[in-house]
Amino acid sequence: MKTVLAVGAHPDDLELGCAGTLALHSAKGDKVYLLILTRGEASGNPEVRERECRDSARILGATDIFIGGLHDTMIHDGRESIDVIEEILKKVQPDIVYAPSSKDTHQDHRHTGHAVLSACRRSRIILLYEGASTQRDFNPQVFVDIAKTFQAKLKATQVYGSQVGNGGMYAKAMKAIEGLAKFRGYQAGVDIAEAFEVGKFIFEI
Amino acid sequence: MKTVLAVGAHPDDLELGCAGTLALHSAKGDKVYLLILTRGEASGNPEVRERECRDSARILGATDIFIGGLHDTMIHDGRESIDVIEEILKKVQPDIVYAPSSKDTHQDHRHTGHAVLSACRRSRIILLYEGASTQRDFNPQVFVDIAKTFQAKLKATQVYGSQVGNGGMYAKAMKAIEGLAKFRGYQAGVDIAEAFEVGKFIFEI
Amino acid sequence: MKTVLAVGAHPDDLELGCAGTLALHSAKGDKVYLLILTRGEASGNPEVRERECRDSARILGATDIFIGGLHDTMIHDGRESIDVIEEILKKVQPDIVYAPSSKDTHQDHRHTGHAVLSACRRSRIILLYEGASTQRDFNPQVFVDIAKTFQAKLKATQVYGSQVGNGGMYAKAMKAIEGLAKFRGYQAGVDIAEAFEVGKFIFEI
Amino acid sequence: MKTVLAVGAHPDDLELGCAGTLALHSAKGDKVYLLILTRGEASGNPEVRERECRDSARILGATDIFIGGLHDTMIHDGRESIDVIEEILKKVQPDIVYAPSSKDTHQDHRHTGHAVLSACRRSRIILLYEGASTQRDFNPQVFVDIAKTFQAKLKATQVYGSQVGNGGMYAKAMKAIEGLAKFRGYQAGVDIAEAFEVGKFIFEI
Amino acid sequence: MKTVLAVGAHPDDLELGCAGTLALHSAKGDKVYLLILTRGEASGNPEVRERECRDSARILGATDIFIGGLHDTMIHDGRESIDVIEEILKKVQPDIVYAPSSKDTHQDHRHTGHAVLSACRRSRIILLYEGASTQRDFNPQVFVDIAKTFQAKLKATQVYGSQVGNGGMYAKAMKAIEGLAKFRGYQAGVDIAEAFEVGKFIFEI
Amino acid sequence: MKTVLAVGAHPDDLELGCAGTLALHSAKGDKVYLLILTRGEASGNPEVRERECRDSARILGATDIFIGGLHDTMIHDGRESIDVIEEILKKVQPDIVYAPSSKDTHQDHRHTGHAVLSACRRSRIILLYEGASTQRDFNPQVFVDIAKTFQAKLKATQVYGSQVGNGGMYAKAMKAIEGLAKFRGYQAGVDIAEAFEVGKFIFEI
């Protein structure tokens, strides 16, 4: 049994990139913790948004979810963000960390990615997921076959009622979610996959 | 009206990467020429394969198709390949050239990409398409919205009866063709797209 | 007729990288808007500098020029900069956006480049120009032949009396302006050119 | 129990990059197959060299070793090399493949790397090891802690009597073998490690 | 005789990456100045840490050492940092500048690297050293053979009593210092070396 | 006094990229050897071409020139090319080697670059110059101020009567030679420069 920590900047950041993988961890009996750095108040009512991501956490079988208390659109890659992440690291002691790739046009995602790499420099596996504003030079090396949990992934993304219908970036991403999963599956040589860049990977033989 | 030349190593190389774009050119009245460097004899009967790609050319509205006479799995990036391409360049005088990206695990695709860049060093627009064995560091910069010609693209890929059913790389690619088009569309901010790296691009203001 | 928006961090940032291209747009009848995020107060009298860039705008045939009200040497890539850009985006609704490449040793240019990519994630064409402190890994993919407007480009750079004579970076850049234009022309296979990295490019067939 | 295939161009190519990892596989009970494409006749008596690498295989606990029959310094990345590799693939059906990184100044290593990626496009894990002439842009993402098998690795490298004493590249590499293992360990956050670039990695949750 | 400036973010940043090179400069009669931007107060008593780095400076034969007065973990790449560096530049007028590579998981190192490149844009040689948290894509191009000063380097690192014993990143780095030096030496074709990325290098024939 | 070896694929390859630097070496009293791998028979009468490059060698003050006997457009990166280079290496024992960058659309230049890196793996300084068909991702790190020898460089390029007037790639490159030198000078912060990527650089303190 492994312990997993997935870090996102906003309530709906994890779903596109690694929800299928997180659901696989849960299904296998791993402990899955989520850390969401902000309540996403820049794109909706923070209470609604927090509730939505707690619903998603339940669908994915997460053990617990932490909300980091940083401010939406104002995450920096300095001390403050690193402290929030390190506090959870101490509590959870994860074997595997999932974090957003820093190759992203959204400053919160870039800075979250940097802050996780700083905070988790002692972790053994850090995998960087893609999101709705990831840049085109995201170049994944590691793939997870999510055929068994793709329905859970879809269901998790659909709880974001506040985002799905607003015509914004999230809505567009959701429209593409199946295409993305099939394309990443194709690159991996399976039907349907999630794809990750490697922050660090100690491979256990 | 523009003149377009699309170069492929094997009979079924163009369809995954740029068939939608070629069909758009045809629909708009551009002249579309195809140059297929080999008859694909390593993966089937060359006569069948040549017939299939002539069928595909018809579906895409191509003006003419040239078969280059090189040997499947033995394309090099030297003089011989460059000569074949330069001969067609002189005949066709294209405004835009489509060629395979050299970021590919298949040596024929790599070498074809290099040879086109050598031969076409005076062309004004060279766009590099992705294929069934393109590597993951393919990082497209230019996108074409192919919503209007996606059906033609699908139809063109289906003429390859000799490849579709054999469980090989082509069959897998075809299964992923819609996912790929939606993912590239998502990156471009449209519904469905083909994606290209830039060999060279003189932008006409 | 197209609508064009060019974004610069300081009053004299656009001229080196894209003045010839902007003048071409004007000559062709496109609407050209300039957004300068700061008044450049760190390198001279802000009133003089603003006047100079309004003179340059006139030479380039710009339709209008906006001054963003951010502080020279203190542009960040967060909310504040993005808001300034998004406000102009709504007003202008550009078809094409020009912005500084983030591969730059000057923090204002880096952050402006990031902020434009964040703000313009729905734009169809974003081209990234080079400037006086662009780093050597600027790797252009798109070129514009500016033979017809090179004189306008030179004239526009010469209005910056406050910068041309001070022996600083701008003066050095201006000394190299013809060499740069010829080198980029050479890369493009024309006499004289401006060169761009691609932020995003939806190619209209 | 996994099945592992490690491919090298010459008799002494595997030891520097992945001998510790191979010994770990053996120790754990995995089946380890070696494929050496040439007998290394350009740097010594081929019979001696073949004997040396069979000795090394024994030390590493390899199940079997295959010699590919290609010619030293003349390995190409085309059909001939791919066929040799595919034949062994069919026989062995590996879960994990180790191959040289193509970022190498030695043409045989470059071409072997390319050929393995072509041949193994259906494999689930391909890891690319470093060697005595790997270039400096080798940028590993995956690490294996080899504290338990470092002695076996050292012992395996020392069987190459024909190379160790000749003052050539191999002798230099051997002198650095401990430094390399500690540096890679340091990057990984362990004492001693081998490092790999990812050809492909399907991560089993 | 040359004048050299080495910039570090914290009291113990220079030793791992360039202490051997600095000691070589001193031994040859060059003037060596150190600029440490913070007193490292986030990892220990700032007075102790400052004293330690003054001890190290003495061992390396530095002419003088400047402490920049910025705040540990809060170095930015903007005006404030650049001003601190520019002030010392004017005083010292170095021929060669050593600075941390920006490819680092520690935000202070990243920002120091950027700030030095901004401040020193007129310097003729800027070499970027690696440190305890440098990322794996650090890709050195320039090497210095430090066989003659490796003992001084070791001695300099050992004055950091406050860091050596605390089990943290510094302690780990020190454990790997010989491995690193041998690995970089191996890449350079010498016994023991320090390695640098190039910020800028005007080569005097 | 240093010994320098400059390697080119064809008679006129060295002039654009490193003639100014070679003339500086000569002026300073260094021994400068040229190795031209082919007689350039694909672009003119080989006797004329050989004579032209001997004239150029004289202008640049070269000590001696070697013609390698390989075939124009058919240089490979394997044994044959490496042997030719290694033979001259043994004879000349250069301190510094100049070779074409492998980032080139011309296969002969690519393969020459690779072959030099293979052959010279023990050299202390290898600098890679740009040429008439170098690709846009050539990213120089080292610059030489050639203000004193630019006239010699121009004069050397003009001896290629067989190439200058034929409207081909060489003629175009020569037209851009001043722009290139000024642009590279601008990047280096001097008036006029040649620019190099680093194959390897042991920096003597």
Side-chain angles (χ1 to χ4, degrees), chain D residues 20-64:
Chain D
T21 299
L22 297 180
L24 271 185
H25 277 296
S26 298
K28 196 193 139 202
D30 293 342
K31 285 204 166 160
V32 174
Y33 295 94
L34 312 184
L35 167 59
I36 309 303
L37 294 180
T38 77
R39 301 173 81 204
E41 67 270 20
S43 316
N45 179 325
E47 281 172 37
V48 173
R49 301 209 69 195
E50 184 175 333
R51 199 184 330 120
E52 289 173 345
C53 86
R54 290 185 182 279
D55 287 348
S56 169
R58 223 167 296 123
I59 291 167
L60 301 178
T63 309
D64 204 352

Side-chain angles (χ1 to χ4, degrees), chain A residues 95-99 113 116-128 141-142 196-203, chain D residues 139-144 184-191 193 196 198 201 203, chain E residues 105 132 134-136 169 172:
Chain A
D95 301 295
I96 306 176
V97 178
Y98 294 93
V116 171
L117 286 178
S118 292
C120 300
R121 56 191 174 271
R122 285 184 196 81
S123 302
R124 293 177 68 85
I125 298 184
I126 309 173
L127 294 175
L128 308 170
Q141 296 109 8
V142 166
F196 302 91
E197 289 186 330
V198 174
K200 187 172 161 190
F201 200 110
I202 313 284
F203 181 37
Chain D
N139 175 10
Q141 297 110 9
V142 166
F143 297 86
V144 175
R184 294 305 182 198
Y186 168 58
Q187 290 187 310
V190 302
D191 280 347
F196 302 91
V198 174
F201 200 111
F203 182 37
Chain E
T105 61
T134 298
Q135 286 185 294
R136 294 187 309 270
M169 194 185 290
K172 289 205 168 166

Side-chain angles (χ1 to χ4, degrees), chain E residues 64-79:
Chain E
D64 205 352
I65 178 169
F66 306 94
I67 309 292
L70 298 180
H71 295 295
D72 192 356
T73 76
M74 289 188 288
I75 297 177
H76 291 286
D77 61 354
R79 199 60 261 160

Side-chain angles (χ1 to χ4, degrees), chain E residues 44-57:
Chain E
N45 179 326
E47 283 172 35
V48 173
R49 302 208 68 195
E50 184 174 333
R51 197 182 333 120
E52 291 172 344
C53 85
R54 290 186 182 278
D55 288 347
S56 168

